[in-house]
Amino acid sequence: MSISMPLFDHQRNYKIKPNLQTLDKASAMAGHQHRLQKKNDTGAFFFFMATLVMWAVSVFFEILFNNRTELFPLLTGFCFYQLANWICRNFISRDPLLVNTCVSLLHSALTSASVVFILLNRLISNGWDELFEHSQLVKATWPWAYSALCISCGYFAYDQLDMLLYGLYSGWIPSILLHHFILLGCFTLALYRNVTINYLILTLICELHSIFLHVRKVRRMAGFRDSSSKFVKMEWFLNMVTFFLARLLSHLLITIKLVKDAAKFEKGVELPLALLGMAGMNLLNVFLGVDILKAFRRERNRNNRHES
């Protein structure tokens, strides 16, 4: 929220009201230009943009030349979240980071709901017996699972592009870009070969935790940082619980399941790709957990200093 301050013209001795909308746009543009400067600092922009372009060419080739019409939800997902980005940018804020976070929050909420719906529908239809059976996870595809995976894959492509265009990353090897790179590779190959779809749907249960990550970012950008409030305490509680259950533990159990059923996989790229993808995800989860603990301690220490 912009704060109006009167400006004085000493010669005419009257107040001149600044154009707040112009100031807001100028501030957002200045921050945008600063983030764009990061592109020239490392080769991350060129590498990840090149891989994203190659991914897009591959998708269009599959749809246009191999007649893979079942991949249309992938393009629909990309366009849907790009539209959500445009709406946020024009009606909520022009700050690229806030816009990106709002769209990410939307994705986490919709994906979590879709994954829970798919799992509950499968449980009601078949019960627990076949839910985690190897052939079900690798060869079969639960109702709506393929489309849900396509839409999420489209989102990760949109988000990768948005972060690259607006410089929403840092470091020589940005973890967020690497995360999306791994997901796009694993998800797209699985969609092309129509294998391990259900495995990947299970990995998306981590979006339950992402909801609270994005809620925290939006809250802080809105200026609400009172860590002693009940809302913030509840948010942190849900953040920690869902991180452990929906992200750390679930991905670890999926990795153990893959290793346990390794002999059941046919020869090919499915098992090596799945193990490599989960290894990358588990490593990134560890880094994320460290960052969450550091953020929690910073907020708690800041609140203790204010109270003293």
Side-chain angles (χ1 to χ4, degrees), residues 75-85 103 106 110 151:
L75 301 181
T76 302
F78 179 90
C79 294
F80 171 78
Y81 289 108
Q82 189 63 58
L83 176 62
N85 182 294
V103 177
L106 175 64
L110 293 179
I151 292 172

Side-chain angles (χ1 to χ4, degrees), residues 159 176 267:
D159 200 38
I176 186 62
K267 291 183 179 180

Side-chain angles (χ1 to χ4, degrees), residues 17-260:
K17 295 182 179 179
N19 188 326
L20 297 182
Q21 186 176 8
T22 302
L23 290 176
D24 181 60
K25 290 182 179 179
S27 177
M29 183 60 69
H32 170 49
Q33 292 297 331
H34 175 71
R35 283 186 288 265
L36 287 180
Q37 188 63 36
K38 295 178 181 179
K39 295 179 180 179
N40 299 323
D41 295 339
T42 69
F45 172 81
F46 301 102
F47 172 79
F48 287 106
M49 181 61 80
T51 58
L52 188 60
V53 170
M54 292 172 61
W55 173 87
V57 171
S58 171
V59 170
F60 279 106
F61 180 87
E62 287 292 323
I63 293 175
L64 296 176
F65 294 97
N66 291 339
N67 198 29
R68 298 289 300 276
T69 56
E70 67 272 19
L71 292 172
F72 273 127
L74 193 156
L75 301 181
T76 302
F78 179 90
C79 294
F80 171 78
Y81 289 108
Q82 189 63 58
L83 176 62
N85 182 294
W86 181 86
I87 293 173
C88 290
R89 194 174 302 280
N90 284 275
F91 296 100
I92 297 178
S93 171
R94 300 192 69 83
D95 180 9
L97 182 58
L98 179 58
V99 171
N100 183 273
T101 305
C102 289
V103 177
S104 296
L105 177 58
L106 175 64
H107 167 259
S108 296
L110 293 179
T111 301
S112 299
S114 65
V115 171
V116 171
F117 170 78
I118 290 169
L119 291 177
L120 286 178
N121 177 71
R122 191 61 184 174
L123 282 173
I124 293 172
S125 301
N126 296 80
W128 285 98
D129 295 338
E130 297 181 2
L131 187 63
F132 300 115
E133 202 273 326
H134 175 77
S135 61
Q136 280 288 312
L137 294 175
V138 176
K139 296 297 183 181
T141 302
W142 297 325
W144 299 289
Y146 193 93
S147 295
L149 196 65
C150 278
I151 292 172
S152 267
C153 193
Y155 161 77
F156 289 120
Y158 143 78
D159 200 38
Q160 188 85 324
L161 179 62
D162 190 62
M163 287 187 294
L164 287 169
L165 292 178
Y166 290 95
L168 304 178
Y169 58 91
S170 60
W172 286 90
I173 306 178
S175 60
I176 186 62
L177 297 182
L178 183 61
H179 171 265
H180 285 16
F181 173 76
I182 293 173
L183 288 179
L184 280 174
C186 293
F187 282 26
T188 307
L189 287 176
L191 290 169
Y192 286 174
R193 299 173 63 88
N194 200 14
V195 293
T196 66
I197 302 298
N198 297 338
Y199 256 123
L200 293 173
I201 286 294
L202 291 178
T203 66
L204 285 176
I205 199 68
C206 68
E207 291 300 330
L208 280 169
H209 170 244
S210 296
I211 291 175
F212 301 102
L213 283 180
H214 301 318
V215 166
R216 177 178 178 271
K217 287 180 66 176
V218 172
R219 168 179 64 79
R220 289 175 59 81
M221 283 187 281
F224 185 51
R225 304 190 177 193
D226 184 8
S227 59
S228 63
S229 69
K230 292 182 179 179
F231 174 82
V232 174
K233 289 180 179 179
M234 179 57 68
E235 174 204 295
W236 268 115
F237 173 76
L238 294 173
N239 194 324
M240 296 290 192
V241 170
T242 54
F243 169 76
F244 179 75
L245 295 178
R247 187 179 294 275
L248 193 65
L249 184 60
S250 66
H251 285 175
L252 184 60
L253 290 175
I254 291 171
T255 306
I256 293 173
K257 174 69 173 173
L258 285 170
V259 174
K260 183 180 177 181

